[in-house]
């Protein structure tokens, strides 16, 4: 279990307690156990800071209507931030694969984004495009779509990351 404990000096610290019964009586009742308390205070503070940062980034993305995406070519997965889900009108708990993501682009813009993404994963060419999407509710929006390759230590392309920004108001 994880819990807070007060030290001998009166300071409160997060600890993780791990225990195990090592001996039982003839009725199966525990008679001896061993355990350890681990100081996880620094870890908990980092987790809290990470959560505060994540919440701030989410609020910033929402107010600027900018979201991020990531493609992992090794496990063939696509991850969208909550704001990318909102821009596309897709519930945040709904997963979208790469093929479905491309289908959100306006039919006249799919070839452009498809070619740009292919060049990104094949040649490592970044892109920065203004294109139309059709949201899940069939509303047309303009987006600025940015993509950059991600390399492993050997220099091979293993994924891509990017941004999507709703620019409908500017493009009108």
């Amino acid at each position: 279990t994880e819990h807070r404990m007060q030290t001998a000096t009166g300071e409160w610290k997060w600890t993780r307690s791990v225990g195990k019964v090592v001996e039982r009586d003839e009725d199966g009742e525990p008679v001896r156990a061993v355990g350890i308390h681990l100081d996880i205070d620094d870890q908990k503070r980092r987790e809290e800071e990470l959560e505060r940062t994540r919440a701030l980034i989410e609020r910033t993305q929402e107010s600027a209507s900018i979201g991020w995406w990531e493609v992992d070519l090794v496990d063939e997965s696509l991850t969208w931030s909550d704001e990318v889900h909102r821009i596309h009108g897709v519930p945040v708990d709904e997963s979208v694969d790469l093929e479905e993501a491309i289908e959100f682009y306006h039919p006249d813009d799919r070839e452009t984004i498809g070619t740009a993404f292919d060049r990104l994963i094949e040649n490592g060419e970044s892109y920065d495009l203004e294109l139309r999407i059709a949201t899940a509710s069939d509303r047309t929006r303009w987006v600025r779509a940015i993509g950059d390759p991600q390399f492993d230590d050997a220099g091979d392309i293993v994924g891509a990351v990017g941004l999507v920004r709703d620019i409908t108001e500017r493009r009108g």
Side-chain angles (χ1 to χ4, degrees), residues 70-82:
E70 179 179 29
V71 171
D72 184 325
L73 296 173
V74 176
D75 68 10
E76 299 179 355
S77 66
L78 170 66
T79 304
W80 277 1
S81 70
D82 290 355

Side-chain angles (χ1 to χ4, degrees), residues 51-92:
E51 180 56 31
R52 279 192 300 275
T53 301
R54 187 203 62 75
L56 178 61
I57 289 170
E58 284 291 323
R59 285 193 305 270
T60 302
Q61 288 182 74
E62 187 174 349
S63 67
S65 200
I66 298 173
W68 60 267
W69 57 267
E70 179 179 29
V71 171
D72 184 325
L73 296 173
V74 176
D75 68 10
E76 299 179 355
S77 66
L78 170 66
T79 304
W80 277 1
S81 70
D82 290 355
E83 187 59 20
V84 172
H85 278 88
R86 282 189 283 275
I87 290 169
H88 287 81
V90 175
V92 295

Side-chain angles (χ1 to χ4, degrees), residues 11-157:
E11 182 182 8
W12 286 93
K13 290 198 163 224
W14 279 100
T15 62
R16 178 178 294 130
S17 298
V18 181
K20 180 179 180 181
V21 173
V22 293
E23 186 179 334
R24 296 181 181 273
D25 64 18
E26 57 271 355
D27 296 326
E29 294 297 315
V31 293
R32 192 166 70 96
V34 295
I36 187 169
H37 296 288
L38 303 168
D39 180 347
I40 60 168
D41 202 58
D42 288 341
Q43 174 188 337
K44 282 295 197 181
R45 288 174 202 237
R46 285 190 305 271
E47 288 173 359
E48 289 169 1
E49 178 61 26
L50 182 61
E51 180 56 31
R52 279 192 300 275
T53 301
R54 187 203 62 75
L56 178 61
I57 289 170
E58 284 291 323
R59 285 193 305 270
T60 302
Q61 288 182 74
E62 187 174 349
S63 67
S65 200
I66 298 173
W68 60 267
W69 57 267
E70 179 179 29
V71 171
D72 184 325
L73 296 173
V74 176
D75 68 10
E76 299 179 355
S77 66
L78 170 66
T79 304
W80 277 1
S81 70
D82 290 355
E83 187 59 20
V84 172
H85 278 88
R86 282 189 283 275
I87 290 169
H88 287 81
V90 175
V92 295
D93 60 347
E94 188 175 310
S95 62
V96 176
D97 65 28
L98 188 55
E99 187 175 314
E100 292 169 326
I102 297 293
E103 289 296 313
F104 275 101
Y105 284 89
H106 188 278
D108 294 340
D109 294 338
R110 279 187 204 137
E111 185 176 340
T112 301
I113 190 65
T115 300
F117 189 77
D118 288 345
R119 285 182 168 158
L120 183 147
I121 62 172
E122 292 169 10
N123 306 325
E125 295 178 28
S126 297
Y127 63 82
D128 187 339
L129 304 166
E130 293 186 1
L131 305 166
R132 293 162 293 175
I133 62 167
T135 67
S137 61
D138 255 353
R139 181 176 165 219
T140 300
R141 286 187 171 165
W142 279 92
V143 296
R144 180 175 178 197
I146 299 171
D148 292 305
Q150 296 295 289
F151 301 92
D152 64 11
D153 293 338
D156 296 320
I157 299 168

